[in-house]
Amino acid sequence: MKSAVIVFPAANCDRDAQTALTQMTGKAPHMVWHQDSELPDVDLVVLPGGFSYGDYLRCGAMANQSNIMGAIKTHADKGGAVLGICNGFQVLTEAGLLPGALMRNAGLKFLCKPVALTVEETQSSFTRKYDKGQEIHIPIAHGEGNYYADENTLDRLEGEGRVVFRYRDNPNGSARDIAGILNEKRNVLGLMPHPERVVDDALGGIDGRGIFQSLIEALS
Amino acid sequence: MKARVFITLKNGVLDPQGKAIGHALNGLGFGSVGEVRQGKVIDLELSGSDAEAAKADIKAMCEKLLANTVIEKYEIELK
């Protein structure tokens, strides 16, 4: 599986994603600068976590204006896989590649801790190696992870099996405990927790491996 | 020409910051305060003097960048 990680100024988890992808796929991902306008030939594009553009205006809003976004939209339109982690999820909602928006945590505090999630959906390239209903533990690190969408959109997401991960103990006020969702074509996943931080036992867990193993199986 | 854009959360969208401000005001003894909603003000300086054209431009700016219309609404004031 060939992958690329987009490098935005102040998105500080790009190297975590790079390390996890290298470790999991055996191949270093392309690191693509946000001002580039073309993507290399890859199967997967990762929008990493962090605070692109200092979260100015709204989290993800400025990153969505980057040159590279056009190429990412084209990649997604053609069915290419896109994974948005944390700030990457926020960018994908701003870009309209995923519905809804990420708002300030209900408790107003920045939260940085491991959380328990339920894998709700295994019919996707991102989650096929998990079991449906499986409990996994993945860290979160965000101030704006409170998922919002109108009721119709939420019903639609649930009805179409696009709510992929749910918090077991909702930390941020997200509608219907949503931690991660798919787009309609199921090739774009956004999630607030950081799976790239839990692929190595030395770092406290390996529950994030399933996403990368699923992608490798689906895309290789 | 100068313009001011007000960006606020749509009705029905929860506003945790507004809620916290409301609690703090109540805590300060301002018992009359009920619901509080907060937002942003953006001041723009524009060249040109055609008010209608400016308004159309700013509307496009709001739709493309200044507001996230999934959760926010905007009002434009020309000065």
Side-chain angles (χ1 to χ4, degrees), chain A residues 34-186:
Chain A
H34 68 112
Q35 285 180 337
D36 291 351
S37 47
E38 280 175 39
L39 284 169
D41 174 31
V42 292
D43 306 301
L44 168 72
V45 176
V46 177
L47 280 77
F51 306 87
S52 57
Y53 297 87
D55 281 347
Y56 287 178
L57 192 63
R58 293 178 306 278
C59 46
M62 309 308 287
N64 180 38
Q65 307 301 320
S66 299
N67 271 351
I68 196 64
M69 288 309 294
I72 293 172
K73 285 177 187 168
T74 306
H75 173 80
D77 284 347
K78 283 190 205 153
V82 179
L83 171 63
I85 301 167
C86 196
N87 189 214
F89 184 10
Q90 296 163 342
V91 176
L92 291 174
T93 59
E94 283 281 339
L97 286 170
L98 289 172
L102 281 311
M103 304 190 53
R104 182 68 72 97
N105 291 346
L108 298 178
K109 288 192 175 142
F110 188 93
L111 299 169
C112 186
K113 60 178 186 181
V115 296
L117 303 172
T118 304
V119 180
E120 296 284 345
E121 195 53 55
T122 53
Q123 301 290 315
S124 85
S125 308
F126 302 90
T127 52
R128 59 206 280 169
K129 299 294 267 185
Y130 291 111
D131 296 322
K132 199 172 169 82
Q134 187 180 340
E135 176 175 335
I136 57 173
H137 295 256
I138 296 190
I140 54 167
H142 61 245
E144 286 160 283
N146 182 348
Y147 184 73
Y148 170 86
D150 61 54
E151 287 296 309
N152 287 342
T153 306
L154 292 169
D155 287 343
R156 200 168 154 215
L157 286 172
E158 304 233 34
E160 294 174 355
R162 290 163 56 191
V163 176
V164 176
F165 298 111
R166 239 189 266 271
Y167 299 110
R168 293 220 162 185
D169 183 13
N170 192 341
N172 54 24
S174 285
R176 306 198 191 172
D177 304 328
I178 288 172
I181 55 165
L182 288 168
N183 67 337
E184 202 170 350
K185 277 164 54 184
R186 307 180 86 77

Side-chain angles (χ1 to χ4, degrees), chain B:
Chain B
M1 195 185 322
K2 289 186 176 180
R4 178 165 276 189
V5 181
F6 297 89
I7 296 165
T8 48
L9 290 168
K10 285 182 176 173
N11 295 336
V13 174
L14 276 181
D15 180 2
Q17 293 184 80
K19 215 172 216 180
I21 293 166
H23 282 157
L25 290 172
N26 291 152
L28 286 169
F30 296 103
S32 62
V33 176
E35 194 185 8
V36 177
R37 312 274 291 170
Q38 51 79 49
K40 287 188 193 97
V41 170
I42 297 176
D43 286 327
L44 301 166
E45 277 187 34
L46 302 157
S47 57
S49 55
D50 181 342
E52 282 312 305
K55 219 165 187 174
D57 266 359
I58 298 168
K59 189 165 185 294
M61 293 176 206
C62 288
E63 294 287 334
K64 280 191 174 166
L65 177 67
L66 299 180
N68 178 348
T69 54
V70 174
I71 48 173
E72 293 170 330
K73 54 186 164 68
Y74 55 86
E75 281 171 52
I76 299 163
E77 189 184 279
L78 290 178
K79 296 184 183 177

